Amino acid sequence: MRSVIKVSKTVDEAIREALIELDISKDDAEIEIIEEPSKGLFGLIGAKDAKVRVSVVNDTIEIADNFLSKLLNSMNIKAVNIIKKNGNNLHVDITDISSTDMGILIGKRGNTLDSVQYLLSLVINKKKDDYIKVIVDTEGYRAKREETLIRLANKMAEKAKYGKRPVKLEPMNPYERRIIHSALQNINGVTTYSEGDEPYRRVVIQSK
C-alpha cells in the first residue's frame, strides 16, 4: 500500500499535500493523524506542526495492474504493464511483448485492444463518482493507427471531391470516427457525417 507522511502548519494542509503527491482523491485515502498541531507556550516554546500519514486505498494503478496481469495471463501473453495516472487520466502501455503476442492483443484493426481498454475502464470506474478516462496502448499502436486513419481520410476525401460521389468508409468505433471527422473538418470541398448503428456505424465523406 502506497503511503506518505506529511508535516504542515495544519492537519488540512498536510492532508492536501499528501493527496497531491499521491495523486488521489480523499475518497481513495486512509488518513491517520499522527500529531495534532500545537501553538506551544506563547506561540514560541514547544510549537508543533501537524503530522499525518495518508495511505492509498482502492489504488487505481494497483487495480489496473492486477486486472491486466490476470487478463493477459489468461490469453497466454507475456508482457509488462507500464501504468501512469495523471489527474483523471489513466494511461497503460503494454510493453516487452513479442510481435506474435502483440498481434493477438491488438486484433483486427485494434478491436481486441479496444475491448481490453473497455473492460479495464469498467473495472476502474466501478463505484467511482469521478470518471477516470482509460487509454490502453501497446508499443505506440494508437499513434500509428491515427496516422493511418488520417492518411486514409485525406485519400478518400480526394476521391469524393473529384468523383463527385459520397465515399463510405468501413465501420469504425467512435474514437476512430472522431479522428476522420477531425482530419477533414477544415478541408475545402468535402463534408463528413456518420450513418448506421453501432457496431456498424461508419463515416461518409461527401463532396460539397
Side-chain angles (χ1 to χ4, degrees):
M1 183 185 293
R2 293 187 294 143
S3 67
V4 295
I5 294 177
K6 287 291 178 183
V7 177
S8 194
K9 296 292 182 186
T10 68
V11 169
D12 287 344
E13 194 173 303
I15 292 173
R16 184 169 62 251
E17 290 175 4
L19 294 177
I20 290 172
E21 181 171 326
L22 292 169
D23 193 18
I24 59 173
S25 68
K26 206 168 182 178
D27 292 338
D28 294 329
E30 183 178 278
I31 298 168
E32 177 189 357
I33 300 173
I34 300 172
E35 286 183 6
E36 292 279 359
S38 170
K39 292 182 179 178
L41 184 63
F42 305 121
L44 297 172
I45 302 172
K48 290 182 179 178
D49 287 341
K51 188 175 184 180
V52 304
R53 178 187 286 111
V54 176
S55 304
V56 183
V57 294
N58 301 321
D59 189 341
T60 303
I61 292 176
E62 186 177 332
I63 292 171
D65 190 41
N66 287 340
F67 174 79
L68 285 172
S69 295
K70 289 179 182 176
L71 182 65
L72 294 179
N73 187 54
S74 70
M75 297 169 70
N76 291 320
I77 291 176
K78 293 182 179 179
V80 174
N81 307 316
I82 306 296
I83 305 173
K84 295 180 181 177
K85 186 173 179 293
N86 184 13
N88 285 339
N89 294 293
L90 187 74
H91 188 277
V92 181
D93 188 17
I94 300 175
T95 187
D96 286 350
I97 185 172
S98 71
S99 57
T100 300
D101 284 348
M102 185 163 61
I104 295 170
L105 177 63
I106 293 172
K108 187 178 180 182
R109 299 191 186 96
N111 286 342
T112 306
L113 191 64
D114 287 341
S115 298
V116 171
Q117 180 175 286
Y118 175 71
L119 291 173
L120 180 59
S121 181
L122 290 180
V123 170
I124 293 299
N125 287 294
K126 186 178 181 182
K127 296 181 180 178
K128 278 189 176 294
D129 294 331
D130 295 329
Y131 181 78
I132 295 176
K133 182 179 181 181
V134 176
I135 298 293
V136 178
D137 199 1
T138 179
E139 306 289 2
Y141 169 78
R142 298 285 183 195
K144 294 172 188 173
R145 177 63 176 161
E146 182 172 345
E147 290 175 7
T148 299
L149 289 171
I150 291 173
R151 283 198 300 271
L152 174 69
N154 287 313
K155 183 179 178 180
M156 292 300 104
E158 290 298 311
K159 184 178 179 180
K161 191 187 302 181
Y162 294 106
K164 301 295 182 185
R165 297 175 59 185
V167 175
K168 297 184 178 183
L169 303 185
E170 64 189 17
M172 296 176 186
N173 62 40
Y175 171 73
E176 294 191 341
R177 291 200 303 271
R178 278 196 296 274
I179 292 174
I180 300 290
H181 289 306
S182 177
L184 299 181
Q185 65 180 351
N186 295 319
I187 301 296
N188 292 328
V190 296
T191 186
T192 63
Y193 59 91
S194 296
E195 68 173 23
D197 299 322
E198 302 290 2
Y200 303 107
R201 194 164 172 79
R202 65 181 73 217
V203 175
V204 180
I205 305 172
Q206 188 165 12
S207 63
K208 290 182 179 176

